[in-house]
Amino acid sequence: MDCLFCKIIAGEIPSKKAYEDDDMFAFYDINPQAPVHILVIPKTHIPSVDGLNAENSAVVGKIFAKIPEIAKAAGITNGYRVISNCGDDACQSVKHLHFHILGGAQLSEKMA
Ligand code: 5GP
Ligand code: ZN
């Protein structure tokens, strides 16, 4: 499958790893939009939030259970934002489910 994030998981494209276990991979965004900008992705290929269902969504709970640890290990101490862009109107550019962790500074009050 020609998926950028599947290639990052496989190590075919290098990335700066923040966390990894059997279910997920977390790495620093190549074009950070905050002092700390990490992407957390499931190791299974799910195209977006819109591709979630009762059969494949358990990994989302696992990812959210781990996000506080990932954020803390990355040095975030005063809060963070978790975002998942889904589909064209949200400007999703990589079609592999991912959660942005943004922190390390006061973020904009606006989300869109
Ligand atoms: P989206 O726009 O789909 O919500 O987010 C995709 C994110 O992936 C963007 O923030 C973009 O900077 C990041 N990204 C795209 N290609 C690469 C890459 O090759 N390596 C890393 N580390 N991040 C990438
Ligand atoms: Zn993928």
Side-chain angles (χ1 to χ4, degrees), residues 1 3-6 45-46 95-96:
M1 189 188 301
C3 169
L4 176 67
F5 285 177
C6 282
H45 181 88
I46 300 168
K95 310 301 188 209
H96 181 125

Side-chain angles (χ1 to χ4, degrees), residues 4-5 8 13-16 27-33 37 39 83-86 90-96 98 100:
L4 176 67
F5 285 177
I8 284 179
I13 293 173
S15 67
K16 185 182 172 195
F27 56 104
Y28 286 83
D29 197 291
I30 204 167
N31 183 24
Q33 296 191 37
H37 187 170
L39 302 171
I83 293 174
S84 191
N85 295 318
C86 175
C91 303
Q92 182 185 4
S93 60
V94 180
K95 310 301 188 209
H96 181 125
H98 51 282
H100 298 259

